[in-house]
Amino acid sequence: MSWETVIGLEIHVRLKTEHKLFCSDRAVFGSEPNTSICPVCMGLPGALPVLNPEAVNLALQTALAFGCTIHFESVWARKSYFYPDLPKGYQITQFEHPLATKGTLMFSGSEGDMSVSIRRVHMEEDAGKLLHDRVPRASAIDLNRAGTALVEIVTEPDLRMPADVRLFLGELKQTLEYVGASDCNMEEGDLRVDANISVRRSGSLRLGNKTEIKNVNSFSGVERALSLEISRQIATLDSGDTVGQQTLLWDDHREELREMRLKEESHDYRYFPEPDLSPLKVTEEQVVAAIESLPELPRERCSRFKDIYELKDYDAEVLTQSAASADYFEELVGIEIDPKVAAKWVTGPLQALMNERREDARTVPVRPAKIGALIGLIERGIVSESAAKSVLVILAQEGGNPSDIIEEQGLIQERDIGQLTSWVTEVLAKHSEEVARYRGGESRILGYLVGQVMNDSGGAADPRLARDLLIKQMSNE
Ligand code: ADP
Ligand code: MG
C-alpha cells in the first residue's frame, strides 16, 4: 500500500512599513544592535502600544490578493511564552478572531494549474534576535526586530509534494512583491516558512500525526527538509511505530532535522485578548480602497502578456517574474518597440546587465527610453546587435546617448563592401580548415565564420552582409 503526503504551511512575512507595529521605532535591518528600540517594544512596565495604520493597510492588501474574506473587526491577543528574545514575555498576535480568512492562491505546479486554500491571514509582531557570534562563549540579544510588523499566512493542508511547496512559495513571494506588502528578502528573514507534514495511506481521509519543520531559510531548503521528513515518517509507520507530534529544526549545512521540542498545544500559550489594545476595526471604505489599489497580480499579468503581446510562455513568465521588469517591458512597448524585440532585450542583455550590477529593473540606470533608442539604431542598420550590447554596458557605466557612444567608440556598423570584403578575405585565409568543412556540406560552420568576422571587426561589421560575402567567396573559389 502506498503513502500520501499532506503538507500545510505557516508563513511569516515582514511587512514593508517604515515603523514597527505598535511604536514609532524604525523597522530597520542590519543596523547596530539595540539602536531601534523603545519602552514599548522592550516591554517596559506602563508602556502602551499604538497601532501603525500603514501595517494594517499592507496586511489588508495581502489578504485581498488571496481573495480572503476580511473581518471588519478582529481581536489582538497575547500569546505568552518565555524566550530571551521576547522581553515582554508575550507576543501580540491575533488568535480566535483574525483579520482575514478563507482565501486561495493559484500557482503552476506539477499538475498544471493548482490551488491552495488559505485558512487565515493575521497580523502580529516579531520577536528580537539572538546573536550567537558576537560575544565569545555567550549569546547576545538584539531587539531591533522586536515589535516589527508581520502577517502570518496559514494554508490548509492542501499540498502533497515538496516540489509543489517550492512552486507555491514562489508564487506567494511573487504575489507579495507585486502587492508591495514585503520585500521578501530571504537573507534578511523577510519571509519565513514553517512546514507541517504528515503521511497517511493513499485514499484515507483522516489526517495523520504531523510534525512541524522550522528554521528553513530558503525555498529549496523547505523542499529538501520535507523530502527527508517524508522518508522518516514513512519508515516509522512501516516499522509499526507512530509518528510523534513534534517540532523539528532544519540544519541546512548538515542537511538534517533535529528534534527541538514536543509540539506545544495552543492552550500552552494561554492566549487571551490584549487588554491594552481595542479590537482592530477596518471600515468598508478602507477595504474598497485596498481593493482598488491592488495591482494586476502575477498570473493575470503573465497571461495578458501571452495574449496581447503574443509572447512565448517562457518569455512571459520571465518578464512577469517581478513587477519591475514587467513594467520595464511595457514601457518599451509603449514607445513603439516590437513586443518580441522588447522581450528579447529585457530578458537577455538587460537581465545580464542587472545580474552583473546586482540591480533590478527599477534601479538599473539604463531606462527604457535609452534602450528604445538603441534598438531603433539597430533597426536602422547603424549599429550591429553585438556592438549594441557593448553600448548598453557603457550606457550603464557612464550614461550618455546611444548614438553619441556609437560614434565615439567607432561602433557604427560597417556596411562598406570594400572594408567588409577585406575582413572576410582575412578570416577565410586564417580558417582554411573550416572553409573545407563548409564546402564539404557542414553548413553550421558559417555561423562560426560570421562570428570571426564580427570579432576581427570589433563588432562593427554588418553581420548579414558579412554572411552574404562569406557565402559568395566560399562558393567562388
Ligand atoms: P496546530 O494547532 O498544531 O498549529 P493547525 O491546525 O493550526 O495546527 O495547523 C497549522 C498548520 O498545519 C496549517 O497550515 C495546517 O494546514 C497544517 N496541518 C494541520 N494538520 C496537518 C496534518 N495532519 N498534516 C499536515 N499539515 C497539517
Ligand atoms: Mg499553528
Side-chain angles (χ1 to χ4, degrees), residues 74-130:
S74 56
V75 177
W76 299 105
R78 279 192 186 181
K79 177 182 183 178
S80 302
Y81 64 91
F82 171 79
Y83 204 66
D85 64 7
L86 188 75
K88 291 208 291 267
Y90 61 86
Q91 175 195 28
I92 303 180
T93 176
Q94 300 190 303
F95 182 55
E96 271 174 292
H97 302 285
L99 175 68
T101 51
K102 287 196 171 58
T104 44
L105 181 65
M106 301 263 295
F107 68 104
S108 311
S110 58
E111 292 167 25
D113 284 347
M114 299 172 70
S115 87
V116 165
S117 297
I118 305 292
R119 180 182 292 177
R120 57 188 276 154
V121 175
H122 71 246
M123 301 183 71
E124 62 185 28
E125 59 178 345
D126 207 347
K129 232 198 267 190
L130 292 185

Side-chain angles (χ1 to χ4, degrees), residues 24-258:
S24 55
D25 286 323
R26 292 169 61 82
V28 284
F29 175 86
S31 42
E32 261 309 285
N34 303 311
T35 52
S36 198
I37 54 175
C38 76
V40 175
C41 54
M42 284 191 301
L44 299 193
L48 289 175
V50 176
L51 180 61
N52 167 358
E54 199 191 341
V56 176
N57 255 334
L58 294 174
L60 263 183
Q61 287 181 312
T62 303
L64 289 167
F66 304 133
C68 288
T69 304
I70 305 294
H71 301 292
F72 291 117
E73 185 169 313
S74 56
V75 177
W76 299 105
R78 279 192 186 181
K79 177 182 183 178
S80 302
Y81 64 91
F82 171 79
Y83 204 66
D85 64 7
L86 188 75
K88 291 208 291 267
Y90 61 86
Q91 175 195 28
I92 303 180
T93 176
Q94 300 190 303
F95 182 55
E96 271 174 292
H97 302 285
L99 175 68
T101 51
K102 287 196 171 58
T104 44
L105 181 65
M106 301 263 295
F107 68 104
S108 311
S110 58
E111 292 167 25
D113 284 347
M114 299 172 70
S115 87
V116 165
S117 297
I118 305 292
R119 180 182 292 177
R120 57 188 276 154
V121 175
H122 71 246
M123 301 183 71
E124 62 185 28
E125 59 178 345
D126 207 347
K129 232 198 267 190
L130 292 185
L131 307 174
H132 302 293
D133 52 5
R134 297 277 288 217
V135 185
R137 287 181 305 282
S139 291
I141 301 170
D142 175 12
L143 294 177
N144 283 348
R145 201 178 68 180
T148 53
L150 304 177
V151 281
E152 180 173 343
I153 302 162
V154 182
T155 77
E156 291 297 341
D158 288 350
L159 287 151
R160 294 291 172 267
M161 278 164 49
D164 284 330
V165 170
R166 182 171 45 76
L167 295 167
F168 168 79
L169 288 170
E171 186 72 34
L172 180 104
K173 174 169 183 273
Q174 213 182 339
T175 304
L176 293 164
E177 283 167 345
Y178 264 59
V179 168
S182 175
D183 287 328
C184 296
N185 194 328
M186 302 286 290
E187 292 92 73
E188 297 182 4
D190 286 354
L191 205 159
R192 306 193 289 269
V193 182
D194 298 339
N196 298 271
I197 174 167
S198 62
V199 298
R200 63 183 174 193
R201 292 286 181 198
S202 303
S204 161
L205 293 177
R206 215 164 40 88
L207 290 173
N209 283 354
K210 71 170 158 57
T211 56
E212 181 176 8
I213 302 174
K214 285 182 177 288
N215 201 36
V216 264
N217 47 23
S218 68
F219 293 170
S220 78
V222 177
E223 190 180 355
R224 283 176 286 133
L226 283 169
S227 301
L228 197 68
E229 177 59 4
I230 292 171
S231 318
R232 190 193 68 89
Q233 288 193 10
I234 291 178
T236 306
L237 294 172
D238 274 338
S239 73
D241 282 344
T242 49
V243 171
Q245 310 250 34
Q246 58 176 333
T247 301
L248 302 167
L249 277 190
W250 172 244
D251 185 327
D252 205 69
H253 295 292
R254 297 178 161 184
E255 295 264 329
E256 63 184 30
L257 288 161
R258 271 203 308 274

